[in-house]
Amino acid sequence: MDNKTRRELECFAAQIRLETLKEFMTLGFGHIGGSMSVVELLAVLYGKTMRVDPKNPKWADRDYLVCSKGHAGPAVYATLALRGYFPLETLKTLNANGTHLPSHCDMNQTIGVDMTTGSLGQGVSTSMGIATGNKIDQRENYTFLVVGDGELNEGQCWEGFMYAAHHKLDHLICFVDDNKKQLDGYTCDINEPHSFVQKFESFGFHAQKVDGADVGAIYEAIEAAKKVTGKPSVIVLDTIKGQGLKFVEDTMANHSIKLGKAEMEAAGKAVIMLEKQIAELKG
């Protein structure tokens, strides 16, 4: 990846992080931790990798995104708004009465959302259906699946992964947002996952692990995955819950945060820093 493209993607990531943070500041609470840890991935997917058309969101040959960790919906919404699927002003309605932006992703509510998610594990199964359907139709588009490390406690996920390998779904690329935490604490304390790379390889996947804050590494891993034939791929993203926002990273219970006075002050400072970062990256 050349330096110009890297800066553009880093700028896009900062914009996504900024708009996502503003959503939570308007609402006053929400799933900040898990939203922030997938920001760089979303920047690469919607800024460089995915074949999509915001003016034709149901285009049959588009690439699909299934964000199985549906509580990261606010980051997905910010990304879609920045890509032009709907106005940025809509982001102010997150989780409000009558909104088209519910807390978790809903394909029947939000333009550009490809699959309803929220019940952990079920996004894996639905992404298998999408990838299988596209394979039967002999389409070349990709299905990108995002799961959380805590979500992989669900047995349904591994049933789906066995199916993907058995049916050689090589146009399915799964991302594990390995931010090391889940609702009730550290993932390793609740149900030690051991090596995701080794586990996925034993399930018949091509597996890679990269720095989930490095847009260049994420992009190159996706390009490598696309060259693999006859088996699905997984890219394990080494991330931090609350990534890119120090006050969230430093909060132990950061799955969902209520923004009180202190948190709002910290968020306000983060907004200023992100705006400065974006200005510098734009040059």
Side-chain angles (χ1 to χ4, degrees), residues 13 17 23 35 44 48 74 133 147 170 181-182 203-204 212 214-215 222 233 243 252-253 270 272 279 283:
R17 183 162 283 119
E23 289 179 82
S35 292
V44 173
K48 180 69 175 173
V147 298
D170 52 14
K181 282 185 177 178
Q182 51 188 283
F203 271 69
D214 185 335
V215 292
I222 294 171
S233 287
Q243 189 162 281
M252 176 56 204
I272 294 171

Side-chain angles (χ1 to χ4, degrees), residues 149 174-180 192-201 205-214 216-222 224-225 233-240:
D149 56 338
C174 174
F175 301 92
V176 178
D177 177 19
D178 187 12
N179 63 31
K180 327 294 185 298
E192 173 62 70
H194 300 286
S195 168
F196 283 123
V197 169
Q198 291 181 11
K199 193 174 291 184
F200 272 93
E201 285 178 339
F205 275 58
H206 172 260
Q208 304 172 79
K209 184 174 182 177
V210 301
D211 181 350
D214 185 335
I218 296 170
Y219 174 75
E220 296 299 338
I222 294 171
S233 287
V234 65
I235 299 170
V236 180
L237 304 173
D238 184 6
T239 59
I240 300 170

Side-chain angles (χ1 to χ4, degrees), residues 141-201:
N141 47 358
Y142 281 84
T143 302
F144 297 104
L145 165 67
V146 184
V147 298
D149 56 338
E151 179 178 7
L152 294 182
N153 290 346
E154 305 285 348
Q156 180 174 353
C157 296
W158 299 100
E159 293 178 45
F161 296 143
M162 282 193 291
Y163 171 92
H166 179 79
H167 290 277
K168 298 178 173 48
L169 299 181
D170 52 14
H171 278 47
L172 173 79
I173 300 178
C174 174
F175 301 92
V176 178
D177 177 19
D178 187 12
N179 63 31
K180 327 294 185 298
K181 282 185 177 178
Q182 51 188 283
L183 176 63
D184 295 320
Y186 288 106
T187 301
C188 63
D189 293 334
I190 294 168
N191 199 6
E192 173 62 70
H194 300 286
S195 168
F196 283 123
V197 169
Q198 291 181 11
K199 193 174 291 184
F200 272 93
E201 285 178 339

Side-chain angles (χ1 to χ4, degrees), residues 27-260:
L27 183 62
F29 63 94
H31 294 107
I32 302 179
S35 292
M36 293 301 164
S37 55
V38 294
V39 162
E40 276 72 17
L41 171 63
L42 291 171
V44 173
L45 288 176
Y46 282 92
K48 180 69 175 173
T49 297
M50 288 178 66
R51 292 197 314 167
V52 294
D53 181 0
K55 294 181 180 178
N56 186 14
K58 296 294 185 182
W59 177 34
D61 288 327
R62 71 188 184 282
D63 291 332
Y64 287 70
L65 175 71
V66 179
C67 185
S68 190
K69 43 172 287 176
H71 52 283
V76 176
Y77 304 151
T79 306
L80 294 174
L82 286 163
R83 278 300 314 267
Y85 283 85
F86 48 81
L88 280 172
E89 280 293 304
T90 307
L91 297 176
K92 295 179 180 177
T93 70
L94 175 68
N95 214 20
N97 288 335
T99 186
H100 291 291
L101 305 180
S103 181
H104 292 68
C105 298
D106 187 334
M107 62 185 293
N108 296 313
Q109 292 290 330
T110 310
I111 297 171
V113 169
D114 290 316
M115 180 51 64
T116 301
T117 53
S119 296
L120 296 179
Q122 295 186 6
V124 175
S125 299
T126 55
S127 67
M128 301 306 154
I130 294 170
T132 300
N134 284 326
K135 183 175 182 178
I136 291 171
D137 291 342
Q138 297 184 325
R139 298 186 187 280
E140 291 298 316
N141 47 358
Y142 281 84
T143 302
F144 297 104
L145 165 67
V146 184
V147 298
D149 56 338
E151 179 178 7
L152 294 182
N153 290 346
E154 305 285 348
Q156 180 174 353
C157 296
W158 299 100
E159 293 178 45
F161 296 143
M162 282 193 291
Y163 171 92
H166 179 79
H167 290 277
K168 298 178 173 48
L169 299 181
D170 52 14
H171 278 47
L172 173 79
I173 300 178
C174 174
F175 301 92
V176 178
D177 177 19
D178 187 12
N179 63 31
K180 327 294 185 298
K181 282 185 177 178
Q182 51 188 283
L183 176 63
D184 295 320
Y186 288 106
T187 301
C188 63
D189 293 334
I190 294 168
N191 199 6
E192 173 62 70
H194 300 286
S195 168
F196 283 123
V197 169
Q198 291 181 11
K199 193 174 291 184
F200 272 93
E201 285 178 339
S202 71
F203 271 69
F205 275 58
H206 172 260
Q208 304 172 79
K209 184 174 182 177
V210 301
D211 181 350
D214 185 335
V215 292
I218 296 170
Y219 174 75
E220 296 299 338
I222 294 171
E223 290 302 296
K226 286 184 172 179
K227 295 176 182 175
V228 175
T229 58
K231 60 170 64 177
S233 287
V234 65
I235 299 170
V236 180
L237 304 173
D238 184 6
T239 59
I240 300 170
K241 201 147 189 171
Q243 189 162 281
L245 295 180
K246 192 72 167 58
F247 78 98
V248 183
E249 291 181 8
D250 290 345
T251 300
M252 176 56 204
N254 61 5
H255 185 81
S256 179
I257 294 179
K258 182 177 181 180
L259 296 174

